[in-house]
Every structure is written in structure tokens, then in C-alpha cells.
């Protein structure tokens, strides 16, 4: 493999292009009209326009991306995260061209992309799975109510064909069920092209813990510990850290080892992340597996020194895990990432507009696909940057990250930096008393005075 097309945009495109350069590989950046002045296009070996601003006319257009793959002479494709990263049909199209798909085999993408089938796989292999249903049709109220009664309220209505928190809606009583199901199904259809939903028991204020897996095509797998992604708004992560604070290794390590055994034995063959919920009363349940690079992969890289993007690329060419990881994996210090979004810092609504001032902090790891003078469009996720602190201990990492965020100058759009700083400075976060309700607890009180 000599030339890799990066089928994505923003911070992840910049990250992958930088990695390809360090590996001595050529890179092909694709871009829509809305991203024509993105800085990473200049860093790539070549850049190819694939369409107009709307994602369906560019980054989600299979034909446009495959045409760019062929015309650019690329012999590999990295999908990044989001967009086509978890599309099995697209992965098969890439492979059919003769290019290397940098990710798990399409069969794995398909299996884990369907959330109820992924739950069934986990249950068969002894991974803890909470109460839930099979796929249910929104026009089948009797079956829907029967499943809800069996599972018990409160519960979540979730899309069967996608994740990332999109379309997840809570239900607290039978009278709300069908209205919520219809809304969730409509969101799922728009977001994933699939309106199928299922029901899952809602854990009140759990910890969201995920485990990073690397596997090769020769039956070997390893974990790179866990990340705590509990600080969220609208079921989407905004602060992630590693290792998980306040949870004993006696609880974390056996589960991580079990996951390695399961996926090595089942023939998993790339990077992957198993997400789970840790309930307040001690229960642990499988949530989903993402068959791609995660947004928050940087915190694992910081504490282990392992370049996950490089590992993913090398494994895709058939290298063995032992050559990719040439030393024992050890944890060093503590890492925390904050996602900086162009959004209202109280209500978390997107805030598109021009980046009149965009000056990321120095002396700390910042991943971004923007520069001053660009415009944040309404077409895409409004992530501006990821700021990642790494320090000898958690307290030092919090201080380092807080100081960096306070020095991050952005004008022209609103950002969530005030909310991030408030969370990082909160007593609950600093002592490690975190769960999925923390961000709402810390930020929501201000809504009443605005």
C-alpha cells in the first residue's frame, strides 16, 4: 500500500494525513465545497473535490468517494469515524476496487453495526448484556408494549442501525411509549437510513466505560485499557479520560481480558471499541461495539504511547500484532480530552459562522481541522477541536486542560468552552464522582437565568 485516500474531513482527516506522512505513505484528501479551504488539504499529497456541502452530496456519496479513490490512484482507504466508517456496503465497494479497506472486515462492520445483533453476539459469548428487546416495528404497538413491560420502565428507545447517541430517547411510562418510538424511528431513518428501533433498560446515571481493542488477521488481540466517557450532553461525549477514575482494576481488568479472549477467538481483525455501562449498584452491561477509530482515541495514545492510527493502518496490510506493538503495553499517567464545539454553551445548540479568531492553546495536544478565517457550516458536526492533556496524575491533567481551554481564543461563533471549564472545575468532577448526568447537573441550572 503506497497511497491512502482519507474518506473524511475535519480533525480526523488531519490526524490521519499526519500519520500517513510519518509512515512514508502518500495521502489523498477529499473535500466538499464547504471544506475547500480546510488546512489539511495542503498537508495531503493531493486533494480531490467530491461534491457540494451537504453530506449526501459528498462525504456520504459512495459513488463520488469511489470515483475519487480510482482517479487518484490510491490503493488504500481510511474512513476515519462517522460518515462511511461503519458502512459495510461501502467497505465491500472499496475492497472490490482492489484497494485496502483500513478497518475490520465488512462482515464485522455489518454485525456490530446492527445493535440488536451485536447484543446477541455479546450474550452468546458471555459478555454481560442488560435487558432489552429484539428489533420492533413502530407500527406494532402491541409487541412494543409487551416488550416494554417485560423490560421494565424507565427504558430507552434506540435505533437498531446506528449509534453515537443519535435517536436515543428515554421513556418513563407506557403512555409515552408510542409517541417516543415514532420520534426515535424518524430520527433513525434520517440519520442511518433505517427506522428500525429496539428497547433497552435505562440505567439511571451510569458510568460510560469503553475498552480499546486491537486485533490482527492472525488470531491475536490485545486491549489498551479503558476510557471513561461518562461526561456527555444529549447522550454524546464531551469529556473523556483514561484510566477510569474511582473504579478498581479488579473490576476493569477481568472484563478487558474477557473481551480480548472473545474477539480473538471470534476472529476480529482490526481496531475496535467495546462500550459498556457501569450501573450505580454494580451491574455492568454491554452497550455496543464501534468497528472504527474513536473520536477519543487520543487519550489512550497518551497513556500508552501507542499510535492507534498507525497500528490500524499496519494491521490492515496484514502485519501481525507482535510487530505493530513491539513492546509491552503499560499505562503512564493520566489523560483527559475535551471536545470543543461551535455551540451554545448552555443549551448546546450548534452555532455555525465565521471563525474570525481561532487560536488554539500551545504546549498541549490539539487536534483540529480548522484555522482562523474558515467558516463553520451547518452541514456537519460542529466539532472545532479536541484538546488533550497528559500529566503524571489526574489532578495535574485537569489543571493543565482547564488552563489550556481558558487560553483557547475563538470569536465569530459561540463555543462550549465555558461549559467544559465549569465541568472541569466542579467538585463532582475533580473528586471523580462522575456519571452520565454530571454535565446536566453542572450546566443546566444556568438555563433558568438565561
Amino acid at each position: 500500500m503506497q497511497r491512502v485516500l482519507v474518506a473524511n474531513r475535519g480533525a480526523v482527516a488531519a490526524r490521519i494525513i499526519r500519520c500517513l506522512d510519518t509512515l512514508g505513505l502518500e495521502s489523498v484528501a477529499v473535500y466538499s465545497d464547504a471544506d475547500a479551504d480546510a488546512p489539511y488539504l495542503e498537508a495531503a499529497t493531493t486533494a480531490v473535490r467530491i461534491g457540494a456541502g451537504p453530506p449526501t452530496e459528498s462525504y456520504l456519496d459512495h459513488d463520488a468517494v469511489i470515483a475519487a479513490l480510482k482517479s487518484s490512484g490510491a490503493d488504500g482507504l481510511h474512513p476515519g469515524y462517522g460518515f462511511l466508517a461503519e458502512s459495510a456496503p461501502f467497505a465491500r465497494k472499496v475492497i472490490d476496487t482492489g484497494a485496502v479497506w483500513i478497518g475490520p472486515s465488512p462482515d464485522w462492520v455489518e454485525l456490530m453495526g446492527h445493535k440488536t445483533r451485536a447484543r446477541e453476539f455479546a450474550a452468546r459469548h458471555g459478555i454481560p448484556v442488560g435487558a432489552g428487546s429484539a428489533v420492533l416495528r413502530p407500527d406494532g404497538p402491541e409487541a412494543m408494549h409487551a416488550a416494554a413491560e417485560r423490560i421494565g420502565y424507565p427504558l430507552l428507545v434506540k435505533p437498531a442501525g446506528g449509534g453515537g447517541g443519535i435517536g436515543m430517547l428515554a421513556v418513563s411510562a407506557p403512555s409515552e411509549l408510542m409517541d417516543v418510538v415514532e420520534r426515535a424511528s424518524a430520527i433513525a431513518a434520517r440519520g442511518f437510513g433505517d427506522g428500525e428501533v429496539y428497547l433497552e433498560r435505562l440505567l439511571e446515571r451510569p458510568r460510560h466505560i469503553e475498552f480499546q481493542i486491537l486485533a490482527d488477521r492472525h488470531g491475536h488481540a490485545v486491549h489498551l485499557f479503558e476510557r471513561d466517557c461518562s461526561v456527555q450532553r444529549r447522550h454524546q461525549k464531551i469529556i473523556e479520560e483514561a484510566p477510569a477514575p474511582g473504579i478498581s482494576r479488579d473490576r476493569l481488568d477481568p472484563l478487558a481480558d474477557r473481551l480480548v479472549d472473545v474477539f480473538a477467538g471470534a476472529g476480529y481483525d482490526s481496531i475496535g471499541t467495546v462500550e459498556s455501562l457501569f450501573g450505580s449498584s454494580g451491574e455492568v452491561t454491554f452497550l455496543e461495539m464501534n468497528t472504527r477509530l474513536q473520536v477519543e482515541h487520543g487519550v489512550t495514545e497518551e497513556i500508552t504511547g501507542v499510535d492507534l492510527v498507525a497500528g490500524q493502518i499496519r494491521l490492515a496490510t496484514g502485519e501481525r500484532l507482535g510487530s505493530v506493538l513491539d513492546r509491552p503495553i503499560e499505562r503512564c499517567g493520566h489523560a483527559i480530552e475535551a471536545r470543543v464545539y461551535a455551540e451554545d454553551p448552555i443549551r448546546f445548540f450548534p452555532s455555525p459562522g465565521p471563525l474570525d479568531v481561532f487560536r488554539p492553546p500551545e504546549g498541549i495536544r490539539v487536534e483540529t481541522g480548522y484555522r482562523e478565517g474558515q467558516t463553520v457550516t451547518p452541514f456537519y458536526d460542529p466539532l472545532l477541536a479536541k484538546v488533550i492533556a497528559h500529566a503524571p496524575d489526574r489532578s495535574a491533567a485537569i489543571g493543565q486542560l482547564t488552563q489550556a481551554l481558558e487560553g483557547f481564543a475563538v470569536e465569530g461563533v459561540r463555543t462550549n468552552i465555558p461549559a467544559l471549564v465549569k465541568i472541569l472545575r466542579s467538585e463532582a468532577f475533580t473528586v471523580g464522582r462522575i456519571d452520565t448526568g454530571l454535565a446536566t447537573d453542572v450546566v443546566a441550572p444556568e438555563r433558568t437565568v438565561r
Side-chain angles (χ1 to χ4, degrees):
M1 188 168 64
Q2 298 297 320
R3 174 176 281 206
V4 175
L5 184 141
V6 182
N8 218 295
R9 62 174 301 280
V12 68
R15 170 73 179 90
I16 296 166
I17 290 167
R18 188 171 72 245
C19 179
L20 290 169
D21 186 56
T22 64
L23 293 174
L25 300 174
E26 295 181 350
S27 56
V28 179
V30 295
Y31 65 92
S32 72
D33 291 340
D35 287 330
D37 55 352
Y40 52 85
L41 301 182
E42 299 165 7
T45 306
T46 189
V48 179
R49 177 188 177 274
I50 54 171
T56 54
E57 299 176 30
S58 49
Y59 300 106
L60 289 174
D61 185 334
H62 290 203
D63 293 339
V65 178
I66 293 295
L69 178 69
K70 293 178 178 178
S71 68
S72 66
D75 54 356
L77 183 143
H78 197 306
Y81 46 69
F83 292 132
L84 300 173
E86 293 177 284
S87 169
F90 178 72
R92 293 188 176 103
K93 290 178 182 178
V94 171
I95 294 169
D96 286 345
T97 71
V100 175
W101 164 255
I102 301 175
S105 69
D107 289 346
W108 277 109
V109 176
E110 187 170 61
L111 173 62
M112 291 299 161
H114 195 280
K115 303 310 176 185
T116 57
R117 289 202 287 271
R119 283 168 51 86
E120 291 165 0
F121 172 89
R124 284 198 308 273
H125 289 85
I127 300 170
V129 176
S133 74
V135 171
L136 297 167
R137 295 182 57 84
D139 58 359
E142 291 185 3
M144 196 73 70
H145 279 287
E149 290 300 322
R150 176 180 58 79
I151 296 166
Y153 291 90
L155 51 79
L156 281 172
V157 182
K158 303 178 70 173
I166 299 171
M168 286 174 48
L169 299 175
V171 183
S172 59
S175 59
E176 305 170 4
L177 180 61
M178 294 313 299
D179 285 343
V180 174
V181 165
E182 289 178 8
R183 283 195 287 128
S185 178
I187 295 170
R190 289 195 300 271
F192 309 112
D194 180 354
E196 290 186 329
V197 298
Y198 68 102
L199 308 181
E200 189 174 277
R201 176 70 175 169
L202 173 63
L203 293 181
E204 301 280 10
R205 304 181 68 106
R207 296 279 292 274
H208 187 138
I209 308 295
E210 62 186 29
F211 297 87
Q212 181 67 69
I213 306 293
L214 275 181
D216 64 20
R217 297 177 179 176
H218 309 281
H220 308 112
V222 67
H223 73 82
L224 287 85
F225 309 106
E226 79 288 340
R227 296 183 288 259
D228 191 316
C229 307
S230 301
V231 182
Q232 306 175 6
R233 70 353 177 202
R234 299 197 307 271
H235 300 295
Q236 294 182 316
K237 307 160 188 173
I238 52 174
I239 296 176
E240 304 100 346
E241 59 184 305
I247 303 179
S248 72
R249 301 314 310 176
D250 288 344
R251 293 187 69 194
L252 293 166
D253 291 341
L255 179 54
D257 291 340
R258 174 62 183 155
L259 294 173
V260 167
D261 290 343
V262 167
F263 286 98
Y268 193 74
D269 55 0
S270 182
I271 199 169
T273 300
V274 178
E275 305 202 16
S276 61
L277 298 179
F278 281 50
S280 57
S281 59
E283 67 270 48
V284 178
T285 66
F286 171 85
L287 184 61
E288 64 183 8
M289 183 183 192
N290 292 318
T291 54
R292 54 167 169 78
L293 190 70
Q294 294 280 90
V295 177
E296 59 274 15
H297 70 275
V299 293
T300 296
E301 292 183 326
E302 291 296 322
I303 67 164
T304 63
V306 175
D307 186 328
L308 290 174
V309 180
Q312 182 185 20
I313 293 168
R314 293 173 62 186
L315 290 170
T317 65
E319 282 196 54
R320 291 180 178 272
L321 200 55
S323 64
V324 172
L325 303 173
D326 56 0
R327 57 178 174 78
I329 301 169
E330 298 178 348
R331 294 190 311 274
C332 177
H334 198 95
I336 310 179
E337 171 183 287
R339 302 190 193 186
V340 176
Y341 285 94
E343 66 183 16
D344 180 290
I346 305 302
R347 294 173 177 83
F348 301 125
F349 294 151
S351 174
L355 290 173
D356 297 328
V357 174
F358 186 74
R359 298 172 193 162
E362 298 180 353
I364 194 169
R365 180 173 173 178
V366 178
E367 300 285 351
T368 183
Y370 286 97
R371 63 182 164 196
E372 194 167 281
Q374 274 187 267
T375 296
V376 180
T377 80
F379 295 128
Y380 316 120
D381 181 86
L383 179 68
L384 292 177
K386 300 177 290 178
V387 184
I388 308 169
H390 181 226
D393 56 55
R394 186 171 186 267
S395 177
I398 293 172
Q400 185 184 120
L401 181 57
T402 303
Q403 182 178 16
L405 290 171
E406 291 176 328
F408 198 145
V410 183
E411 295 179 12
V413 299
R414 302 191 73 185
T415 77
N416 67 332
I417 290 175
L420 294 170
V421 170
K422 189 171 185 181
I423 293 167
L424 291 169
R425 290 191 180 279
S426 69
E427 179 186 2
F429 187 85
T430 56
V431 301
R433 195 172 64 248
I434 56 180
D435 57 46
T436 55
L438 174 63
T440 301
D441 288 348
V442 173
V443 178
E446 295 192 18
R447 295 181 183 176
T448 60
V449 297
R450 292 264 169 154

